[in-house]
């Protein structure tokens, strides 16, 4: 199916791993496998899908870390990996996704600090990292995301002060830092 541009198996009861052969579908622009019972790791071969604009794997039972190869998907506008069992750090390569408008990684077991490269995502409208185990301070680069409307960092282990630069987020309509 090398000419396939959209693959949607969402809201079923599919189980098992995402096959590594997913990386052969290099013409995909949309991959929606959300709301199933998929488990195992996100295969690193996902990085071959450089035409993707939407990657939605949320509401499964995926585990392991977010592969650094996710940073090759520079055309992504939507990245939904929430409500899984993902762990480890958010890869710094996420800052390569300059077209991203929606980044939703909430309800996982992600740890470590929020990478400062998230501040490079100038088109970001929604940043949802709630309900993880993220720690450290909120990176100062985040306060430069002038298009941000929704910011959810609640239910993590973040520390430090909230700087006055939060006022730079003039389009913000919702913020959760509890």
């Amino acid at each position: 199916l090398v000419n396939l541009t959209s693959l949607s198996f969402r809201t079923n009861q599919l189980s098992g791993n995402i096959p590594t052969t997913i990386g052969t579908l290099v013409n995909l622009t949309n991959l929606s496998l959300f709301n199933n019972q998929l488990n195992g790791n996100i295969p690193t071969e996902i990085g071959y899908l450089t035409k993707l604009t939407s990657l939605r794997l949320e509401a499964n039972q995926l585990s392991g870390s977010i592969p650094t190869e996710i940073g090759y998907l520079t055309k992504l506008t939507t990245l939904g990996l929430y409500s899984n069992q993902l762990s480890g750090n958010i890869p710094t390569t996420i800052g390569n996704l300059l077209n991203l408008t929606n980044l939703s990684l909430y309800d996982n077991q992600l740890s470590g600090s929020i990478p400062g490269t998230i501040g490079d995502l100038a088109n970001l409208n929604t940043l949802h990292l709630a309900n993880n185990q993220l720690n450290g301070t909120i990176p100062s680069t985040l306060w430069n995301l002038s298009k941000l409307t929704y910011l959810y960092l609640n239910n993590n282990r973040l520390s430090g002060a909230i700087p006055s630069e939060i006022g730079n987020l003039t389009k913000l309509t919702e913020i959760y830092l509890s």
Side-chain angles (χ1 to χ4, degrees), residues 9 20 34 36 61-62 79 94 99-100 105-108 112 119 128 133 136-137 140 142 150 169:
F9 290 137
T20 58
F34 64 89
N36 281 291
Q61 299 163 16
L62 297 171
L79 178 56
I94 211 134
N99 292 305
L100 210 57
L105 305 178
Y106 63 93
D107 289 339
N108 278 292
H128 203 323
Q133 299 168 22
T137 60
S140 60
L142 193 133
Y150 305 101
L169 305 180

Side-chain angles (χ1 to χ4, degrees), residues 9-149:
F9 290 137
R10 62 185 185 205
T11 313
N12 283 290
Q13 296 180 355
L14 298 175
S15 59
N17 295 336
I18 299 171
T20 58
T21 54
I22 196 80
T24 63
L25 303 177
V26 293
N27 287 308
L28 280 183
T29 58
N30 173 51
L31 178 57
S32 296
L33 303 176
F34 64 89
N35 201 20
N36 281 291
Q37 298 170 19
L38 298 172
N39 56 36
N41 295 334
I42 299 170
T44 58
E45 290 81 1
I46 207 95
Y48 297 139
L49 306 180
T50 57
K51 293 182 181 179
L52 278 182
T53 58
S54 178
L55 177 58
R56 304 211 33 214
L57 304 178
E58 66 264 18
N60 279 291
Q61 299 163 16
L62 297 171
S63 58
S65 59
I66 299 170
T68 58
E69 290 81 0
I70 209 100
Y72 299 149
L73 308 180
T74 57
K75 294 185 179 178
L76 276 184
T77 59
T78 299
L79 178 56
L81 302 178
Y82 61 88
S83 296
N84 279 292
Q85 298 163 17
L86 298 171
S87 58
N89 295 332
I90 299 170
T92 58
T93 57
I94 211 134
N96 297 342
L97 308 180
L98 301 180
N99 292 305
L100 210 57
T101 59
N102 184 330
L103 177 58
S104 296
L105 305 178
Y106 63 93
D107 289 339
N108 278 292
Q109 299 162 18
L110 298 170
S111 58
S113 59
I114 299 169
T117 56
I118 281 184
D120 295 335
L121 306 178
N123 291 306
L124 207 57
N125 174 274
T126 300
L127 178 59
H128 203 323
L129 304 178
N131 301 322
N132 279 292
Q133 299 168 22
L134 299 169
N135 58 44
T137 60
I138 299 169
S140 60
T141 56
L142 193 133
W143 310 121
N144 297 326
L145 298 175
S146 61
K147 295 183 181 179
L148 205 59
T149 306

